[in-house]
Amino acid sequence: MNDLTNHQQAVELLQQLGLKEYEAKCLVALSRLPKGTAREISESSDVPRTRVYDAIRVLETKGLVEIQHSNPQQFRAVPIEEAAKTLRQEYESRTDTLVEAMENIEPTVPASDEEITHEVWALSGVTPIANRTGQLIDAAGQEIVLIIGREEVVTEELLEQLQTAQNTGLSVLIGTATDQLREEIHAALPEAEVFVSGLEWLNGSPSARTDETTISRLLLIDQNTILVSSVQETETGAIDTEKAVFGRGFDNGIVVIARRLMASGLRPAADPDVPDE
């Protein structure tokens, strides 16, 4: 059953990377054989034999399959690592072309020069939210306050971005929901100010909340831009997708309150926003 699931997943992922269904099925079938004829590929992949040749021809042009011109012809897939590299390069090439094309499209409405005073947007998905978090961190000019409620938020890329920000002289404050997570982040960023946040509801303990929502991350950039994300546990115990709201241009009162909440648990002497006595 697990092998069938892996087979189906491989076919679906190859289709997401640009292959058509028969092409994906033939490539997966060949990956399980040292080599094979069109008949053997058809029997293994449930692709009609007459369509195998067309699929193999496309796979060969993409550099994913090799052909032995014998009688009958024999086919074999390139090594998995080589195939992955080829697909990655093609995917990145298409992405670069897409970015170039979209950047060259003339806007239908000219950009406004008006200063944004207040805006709030919503975003869903772990990858988009992680990308937006990184974008906001990279754009910081003075201070980054990040509260981490879930261990999954901490990635190598995030740690590198925070380290880079700190190296450029920015104030970086990192709060965590647990002592263990604080120690892990401190080990990765020994020069950063890492503390256990006083926001107990970040821990996600059933006794501390009435619903199944857990805060994933709270981010405040330059006391002006805020991002808050959360996940919700379903009735089956699975974790629903991460969702976030973020905005900028907040009035000073909201920012002050948000920052005081986020810095809860931080020693006043270590808080750059608190003047020395």
Side-chain angles (χ1 to χ4, degrees):
M1 182 66 179
N2 187 52
D3 184 61
L4 178 60
T5 301
N6 290 334
H7 184 281
Q8 292 173 336
Q9 184 180 31
V11 170
E12 291 174 359
L13 289 172
L14 285 169
Q15 288 182 263
Q16 292 174 19
L17 289 172
L19 297 186
K20 295 181 180 179
E21 181 182 4
Y22 284 169
E23 296 164 5
K25 286 184 174 181
C26 287
L27 183 58
V28 172
L30 274 178
S31 70
R32 303 169 66 190
L33 300 169
K35 61 181 180 179
T37 63
R39 178 179 61 81
E40 291 170 333
I41 295 172
S42 176
E43 292 174 351
S44 179
S45 64
D46 292 330
V47 174
R49 185 174 177 179
T50 56
R51 302 297 300 276
V52 168
Y53 291 103
D54 293 334
I56 291 295
R57 191 176 300 111
V58 173
L59 293 172
E60 183 196 17
T61 62
K62 291 180 177 293
L64 300 173
V65 164
E66 299 171 343
I67 299 178
Q68 184 181 65
H69 294 284
S70 55
N71 188 19
Q73 285 185 320
Q74 298 276 349
F75 312 101
R76 69 179 182 182
V78 301
I80 294 176
E81 294 80 6
E82 183 179 335
K85 183 178 180 180
T86 298
L87 288 169
R88 185 180 299 112
Q89 290 173 338
E90 182 175 354
Y91 186 85
E92 291 175 350
S93 176
R94 290 185 180 184
T95 302
D96 292 341
T97 302
L98 171 63
V99 170
E100 182 179 356
M102 294 189 69
E103 287 180 343
N104 290 329
I105 297 175
E106 292 293 333
T108 55
V109 179
S112 175
D113 293 331
E114 295 182 4
E115 182 180 353
I116 297 175
T117 57
H118 181 218
E119 62 178 16
V120 177
W121 299 86
L123 192 63
S124 296
V126 173
T127 299
I129 293 173
N131 290 341
R132 182 52 52 89
T133 299
Q135 182 186 61
L136 295 177
I137 290 175
D138 290 342
Q142 298 176 340
E143 180 189 67
I144 298 169
V145 183
L146 174 63
I147 308 299
I148 300 172
R150 291 175 55 82
E151 187 175 356
E152 293 81 358
V153 170
V154 183
T155 63
E156 289 296 329
E157 184 176 5
L158 176 63
L159 293 174
E160 289 176 2
Q161 289 171 324
L162 292 170
Q163 183 64 65
T164 299
Q166 191 172 32
N167 291 342
T168 58
L170 273 64
S171 172
V172 178
L173 308 176
I174 305 173
T176 65
T178 65
D179 284 305
Q180 180 180 350
L181 187 55
R182 184 197 67 80
E183 293 175 1
E184 292 175 2
I185 295 178
H186 181 67
L189 301 171
E191 298 180 1
E193 181 64 45
V194 187
F195 61 98
V196 176
S197 172
L199 304 179
E200 299 296 337
W201 41 270
L202 282 172
N203 294 319
S205 171
S207 61
R209 55 192 171 92
T210 58
D211 58 26
E212 301 302 323
T213 300
T214 302
I215 297 298
S216 293
R217 67 189 93 197
L218 288 166
L219 177 66
L220 178 62
I221 301 293
D222 296 337
Q223 302 193 24
N224 175 269
T225 302
I226 299 175
L227 181 146
V228 182
S229 74
S230 65
V231 295
Q232 190 171 33
E233 187 174 316
T234 65
E235 294 181 356
T236 61
I239 297 298
D240 197 4
T241 185
E242 186 175 6
K243 298 181 180 180
V245 291
F246 64 95
R248 57 178 175 150
F250 292 98
D251 64 72
N252 191 52
I254 294 178
V255 169
V256 169
I257 294 173
R259 195 191 182 289
R260 286 177 179 173
L261 283 172
M262 294 172 72
S264 176
L266 180 65
R267 292 177 294 106
D271 186 348
D273 200 44
V274 177
D276 297 330
E277 296 182 359

